[in-house]
Amino acid sequence: MSGRDGAEGRLAGELRARLLSWYGRARRDLPWRRTRDPYAVWLSETMLQQTRVETVLPYYERFLRELPTVQALADAAEARVLALWSGLGYYRRARMLRAAAKRVAAEYGGRVPSDPAELRRLEGVGAYTAGAIASIAFGRRAAIVDGNVARVLARLFAIDDDVKSARGAARVWRLAERLLPDGDGDPGDWNQALMELGATVCVPRDPKCDACPVCDMCAARAGRRTAELPRATAKRAPTEVRRVAIVLASSDAVLLARRRRDVLFGGLWEPPSADGPVAELASRLGVRASDLVPAGTVVHLLSHRRMHVEVARAELRPERAGPRRWPVPGPEYDAAEPVPLRRVRGRPHSALTRKILMVANVEAAGLRSR
Ligand code: SF4
């Protein structure tokens, strides 16, 4: 849009000037905003997908401390990367990031490419992440649309399509591309200004229109439609999943099993669980059902599932806690072994595993503080 004559171009210029000036004053001081290192930008944008800023902060800092460069990530074992990601969820992101780092190391000499099309060839890098790296780290004219940007644009321009539908998303992307600065601002700052407005002012419920720097330019506000935009089709209710888990623990070790790579939570370690009767799982573990003590139920929400895990605890007897081969406790696993409690934190694991250990009263060092 910019670069053209006419009212549309002037409107876009005014919108950019106001939003960029507001962003300069109001932006939150976040660690990934203090750098233009493409690897750091890439890491932060990957972690921030589907995850809140406050949750990401400690993970981002620890990950960068441990693996400060693309090459360091490319050289790291998958288990180490998953351990650094433990509790952040969506573990596929971590695997893809590592695979892409290997490609950048091998094909680009460890230098992250700046071209959005090349970036999109990397594992796990879609239009959003490619646009973020290209614009924020390299100042390229590349648009990004996340949930925040889609909401802001749907309201500002009164877009009636569902922004998650193919048609609505295409419309929002086109608009975001047309709004990109063309010599009158930094594309990375512009993209971040839009996202910041969505994250802090134009929030999903009850947007703070009185504090909005562009409220007199907003079609939804003018039409009193802020509550109805963006339109969304009703979310599907999550599938309820019921499982049982057995925590076999002594005062210094707990039995953990590793999930096969091709199943949910692949590569992560957890107390053995199953979707069948608890007695069947107990018998696979060589535990009498009468020795199980019910510990409670853990409820854990994933993107499309709500898991209800009934947890039972039994004693891990010393003669079974030593280094020996345990049979895998079910078809979802490919390894099982007693892990000293002080070492659990270093094993890749999910937030669900933490909840299960907590309900079973197993104190694994450093887990609660993460
Ligand atoms: Fe969002 Fe309100 Fe600003 Fe419109 S005026 S962009 S609805 S915060």
Side-chain angles (χ1 to χ4, degrees):
M1 183 183 298
S2 186
R4 292 188 204 166
D5 289 335
E8 202 182 59
R10 280 196 297 280
L11 191 74
E14 172 73 15
L15 187 69
R16 282 195 294 272
R18 287 218 226 153
L19 258 186
L20 282 167
S21 150
W22 167 82
Y23 180 63
R25 295 189 308 275
R27 63 192 232 162
R28 291 167 294 172
D29 179 29
L30 299 169
W32 44 87
R33 290 197 175 144
R34 293 180 217 132
T35 177
R36 296 249 163 178
D37 172 7
Y39 170 62
V41 171
W42 178 13
L43 176 66
S44 66
E45 293 298 340
T46 306
M47 286 186 163
L48 286 164
Q49 288 162 24
Q50 326 259 11
T51 313
R52 292 155 52 87
V53 165
E54 305 74 49
T55 309
V56 165
L57 281 168
Y59 284 91
Y60 170 80
E61 289 178 335
R62 189 169 50 238
F63 200 101
L64 263 192
R65 232 183 3 256
E66 300 263 334
L67 303 172
T69 61
V70 172
Q71 191 65 53
L73 173 56
D75 293 342
E78 184 180 275
R80 185 167 175 221
V81 176
L82 287 175
L84 287 168
W85 210 272
S86 292
L88 201 49
Y90 301 98
Y91 298 91
R92 191 167 171 273
R93 293 179 298 178
R95 278 201 204 89
M96 292 293 200
L97 189 65
R98 176 172 171 269
K102 281 184 176 299
R103 187 192 289 276
V104 171
E107 294 180 18
Y108 297 92
R111 293 170 72 89
V112 178
S114 64
D115 178 54
E118 279 187 74
L119 285 162
R120 288 195 65 172
R121 289 182 48 234
L122 301 174
E123 289 80 349
V125 177
Y128 168 82
T129 312
I133 299 169
S135 66
I136 299 170
F138 297 106
R140 302 274 300 244
R141 279 191 87 242
I144 60 183
V145 176
D146 68 350
N148 285 324
V149 173
R151 182 170 59 256
V152 169
L153 295 183
R155 285 176 175 160
L156 272 175
F157 294 90
I159 294 174
D160 277 308
D161 295 314
D162 172 0
V163 293
K164 288 196 176 133
S165 69
R167 184 184 140 123
R171 223 178 133 185
V172 172
W173 270 98
R174 272 199 307 275
L175 186 53
E177 275 156 15
R178 283 163 46 204
L179 287 172
L180 280 168
D182 190 6
D184 61 344
D186 179 90
D189 281 352
W190 164 249
N191 284 333
Q192 292 187 90
L194 272 178
M195 288 196 285
E196 189 75 347
L197 190 74
T200 61
V201 177
C202 194
V203 290
R205 273 196 208 154
D206 300 326
K208 303 167 190 164
C209 300
D210 291 339
C212 177
V214 289
C215 73
D216 59 330
M217 303 177 80
C218 176
R221 165 91 159 163
R224 297 176 185 274
R225 302 181 63 204
T226 56
E228 75 186 62
L229 294 174
R231 285 193 197 285
T233 38
K235 265 195 190 167
R236 246 191 25 227
T239 310
E240 307 291 336
V241 178
R242 293 180 195 284
R243 293 182 66 83
V244 293
I246 295 181
V247 177
L248 262 183
S250 65
S251 57
D252 51 17
V254 60
L255 181 78
L256 295 182
R258 188 177 59 200
R259 295 181 65 79
R260 272 188 5 228
R261 293 195 82 226
D262 54 339
V263 298
L264 178 70
F265 293 135
L268 305 191
W269 292 79
E270 64 182 21
S273 68
D275 50 15
V278 72
E280 197 179 302
L281 178 60
S283 108
R284 281 196 221 130
L285 294 168
V287 176
R288 284 199 304 261
S290 56
D291 288 339
L292 294 175
V293 180
T297 303
V298 165
V299 180
H300 189 69
L301 193 63
L302 299 172
S303 49
H304 302 299
R305 290 171 242 225
R306 185 169 17 235
M307 314 207 32
H308 304 254
V309 185
E310 241 178 83
V311 182
R313 185 179 163 146
E315 198 55 29
L316 177 66
R317 288 197 295 278
E319 70 274 15
R320 303 192 73 194
R324 60 188 280 276
R325 254 186 100 73
W326 274 74
V328 292
E332 296 162 29
Y333 299 102
D334 62 11
E337 62 190 43
V339 177
L341 294 182
R342 66 180 188 287
R343 298 247 163 90
V344 171
R345 182 185 169 164
R347 293 289 172 108
H349 60 271
S350 66
L352 173 59
T353 288
R354 277 185 219 169
K355 289 185 189 171
I356 290 173
L357 292 177
M358 224 174 273
V359 98
N361 232 355
V362 170
E363 292 274 354
L367 276 202
R368 281 175 199 236
S369 59
R370 291 179 78 176

